[in-house]
Amino acid sequence: MHTALIEEFERYLDARYSSHHTKRAYMKDVEEFLSHSFGFDIEGVERFESVLFKKGLSSKSINRKLASLSVFFEFLKQKGIVEKNPVKLVDKPKQKKSLPKFLEVDELVGLLESVKDKRDRALLELLYSTGLRVSELVSLNVEDVDFDNLRLKVRRKGGRVMYVPFGRRAGEYLLEYLKGRKTGPLFLNRYNNRISDRMVRKIIKRYALGSIFKDISPHTLRHTRATHLLNSGMDLRLLQRFLGHSSIRATQIYTHLNLKELSDVYDKTHPIVNDE
């Protein structure tokens, strides 16, 4: 019934999208909508949304299909078949925001203590101590490290330059790794070139799977650091500055985490906490 319209829509997509995967996904979603013979109006879109809910699709999947449908209705507007895009007028399912994963203190200790390689230990210690993004870590040079004042010169998103503190413990491992080296990239690969963020991800994943049996990323250490600082009483505004968030909203997610209280005894005896 809609064969000619579908073919024309496919040509519309060909003229605007280069990704075959994207075009195929749009076509599949639109064909699914058309197969139900719903009207090209708000009621039709809502009925389609109801069908998707009954199928048990996640909010994320439903929103993706509605996004495809929105492109289709923009095409119909251009042809004069509809006056408005009804997808923009319907209520869409709210997606649950996934809270960031973090490591408990004992897991963090287990991970760090499993690392015997000097470079890798210095890398993980510094990543946790500073809460840096992996892109920020790999772009560091030796000259960016101020050992006297225990701080790093970090290039943040948008070209901002900030000084970020690090703990004595991380500094000691870093000095041991550098062995007097004064210039060049801070962390090197085996070819003495700047280490890549991809390699850092592999390093962390390997040690985590081998020690605490978890598949984590560099960002997990960033979330871990933020969580531990917040648990220790750091003000949210200070945490925002520490993490380099441009908006407090990005930092507020940590206040919604279901955290276990760190015991006073553990705080007093834990070597990493004492060094910070």
Side-chain angles (χ1 to χ4, degrees):
M1 180 179 179
H2 297 289
T3 303
L5 194 61
I6 291 175
E7 290 177 351
E8 195 171 347
F9 178 58
E10 187 171 15
R11 291 193 292 271
Y12 174 86
L13 294 177
D14 287 336
R16 288 163 176 77
Y17 300 92
S18 57
S19 170
H20 175 69
H21 176 77
T22 299
K23 290 185 288 186
R24 185 174 58 183
Y26 283 173
M27 289 295 296
K28 183 178 179 181
D29 294 336
V30 169
E31 287 173 354
E32 182 180 3
F33 170 74
L34 293 175
S35 69
H36 293 284
S37 299
F38 294 142
F40 293 168
D41 51 18
I42 295 177
E43 183 182 353
V45 175
E46 288 178 339
R47 290 175 65 189
F48 180 58
E49 194 174 355
S50 177
V51 168
L52 298 178
F53 268 117
K54 289 178 181 177
K55 285 185 176 181
L57 270 64
S58 67
S59 296
K60 182 178 180 180
S61 295
I62 293 173
N63 280 321
R64 184 191 61 77
K65 287 180 178 292
L66 291 177
S68 299
L69 209 56
S70 183
V71 174
F72 176 65
F73 278 106
E74 289 300 321
F75 157 72
L76 294 182
K77 273 179 62 179
Q78 185 175 300
K79 285 185 61 65
I81 296 176
V82 298
E83 292 184 2
K84 296 180 180 180
N85 182 344
V87 178
K88 294 182 177 180
L89 305 176
V90 301
D91 292 329
K92 301 174 184 64
K94 293 183 178 179
Q95 292 180 222
K96 293 182 179 179
K97 291 186 177 180
S98 57
L99 295 175
K101 297 179 181 178
F102 66 96
L103 302 180
E104 300 290 353
V105 175
D106 57 341
E107 292 178 315
L108 176 69
V109 173
L111 169 62
L112 294 176
E113 292 301 320
S114 73
V115 184
K116 304 306 178 185
D117 180 86
K118 290 183 178 179
R119 181 204 63 183
D120 296 350
R121 183 61 183 266
L123 189 152
L124 265 72
E125 290 277 357
L126 192 65
L127 198 57
Y128 168 73
S129 184
T130 59
L132 292 182
R133 301 176 179 91
V134 66
S135 59
E136 296 167 344
L137 181 85
V138 299
S139 66
L140 289 172
N141 295 318
V142 180
E143 299 93 322
D144 296 323
V145 185
D146 181 351
F147 285 102
D148 293 332
N149 297 299
L150 295 177
R151 64 179 189 174
L152 299 174
K153 184 179 180 181
V154 179
R155 295 156 192 83
R156 296 288 195 188
K157 287 182 176 180
R160 292 176 299 145
V161 176
M162 294 181 62
Y163 287 93
V164 178
F166 60 89
R168 289 189 300 275
R169 179 187 176 97
E172 289 169 2
Y173 279 105
L174 193 55
L175 280 171
E176 188 176 358
Y177 161 63
L178 289 174
K179 293 182 178 179
R181 186 160 56 87
K182 301 294 184 182
T183 61
L186 184 58
F187 291 106
L188 302 171
N189 60 22
R190 60 179 176 174
Y191 303 109
N192 288 323
N193 296 319
R194 187 182 298 277
I195 198 170
S196 67
D197 59 352
R198 182 179 180 184
M199 180 56 66
V200 173
R201 295 175 193 281
K202 285 185 176 181
I203 290 170
I204 292 174
K205 181 174 183 176
R206 183 175 76 248
Y207 284 118
L209 287 174
S211 60
I212 59 175
F213 311 107
K214 284 191 172 183
D215 186 358
I216 69 171
S217 70
H219 227 62
T220 306
L221 292 181
R222 176 172 164 85
H223 293 319
T224 297
R225 183 59 171 150
T227 299
H228 291 176
L229 287 172
L230 197 62
N231 264 318
S232 299
M234 176 177 272
D235 179 79
L236 199 62
R237 288 287 180 184
L238 287 177
L239 183 60
Q240 177 192 356
R241 289 180 59 189
F242 179 79
L243 295 174
H245 289 158
S246 57
S247 170
I248 192 68
R249 289 183 180 180
T251 316
Q252 284 174 331
I253 189 171
Y254 294 103
T255 65
H256 301 301
L257 293 169
N258 182 20
L259 304 174
K260 293 182 180 178
E261 292 295 330
L262 301 179
S263 69
D264 292 336
V265 175
Y266 208 111
D267 279 346
K268 292 176 182 177
T269 60
H270 192 270
I272 296 178
V273 175
N274 284 334
D275 282 351
E276 299 301 308

